[in-house]
Amino acid sequence: LKRLCNNGKTILASFHLPSSQMFELFDNIILMAKGRLAFSGSQLEAKEFFEICGEICPENYSPADHYLGVISDSKKSKFLSDVYEDNL
């Protein structure tokens, strides 16, 4: 898949909870929460966005697990989606 991307192709895949190793391979991620866009961008941008929103990923913890845990909380997911949409 990476080779296809490097040759100009776009790959779109849906993963509920990728492994840490697979998650590290993603150039960009889209996070959905309750049918709303909670985040779209690079992994570095995701880390910064979640930190700005007060949701810092614990050290030695999978970012994918952390993001899923945060967006699984109804109040937090609404807050993240509101903040993200307000800054588009």
Side-chain angles (χ1 to χ4, degrees), residues 4-86:
L4 289 171
C5 288
N6 291 337
N7 289 326
K9 302 292 183 193
T10 299
I11 307 297
L12 179 63
S14 175
F15 296 90
H16 175 67
L17 187 56
S19 68
S20 297
Q21 294 86 358
M22 183 179 289
F23 189 76
E24 289 178 13
L25 298 174
F26 300 153
D27 294 323
N28 291 291
I29 57 174
I30 297 171
L31 301 174
M32 302 292 295
K34 310 288 185 206
R36 294 177 63 197
L37 183 62
F39 176 80
S40 177
S42 71
Q43 291 198 42
L44 178 59
E45 291 168 330
K47 179 180 182 293
E48 293 169 349
F49 175 73
F50 274 74
E51 287 176 355
I52 287 169
C53 292
E55 299 296 339
I56 298 169
C57 185
E59 193 172 326
N60 299 320
Y61 198 78
S62 165
D65 288 338
H66 176 67
Y67 301 149
L68 181 63
V70 172
I71 64 175
S72 293
D73 179 292
S74 294
K75 289 181 183 176
K76 290 180 181 181
S77 68
K78 181 182 180 328
F79 174 74
L80 289 171
S81 294
D82 289 345
V83 169
Y84 186 77
E85 289 172 1
D86 287 347

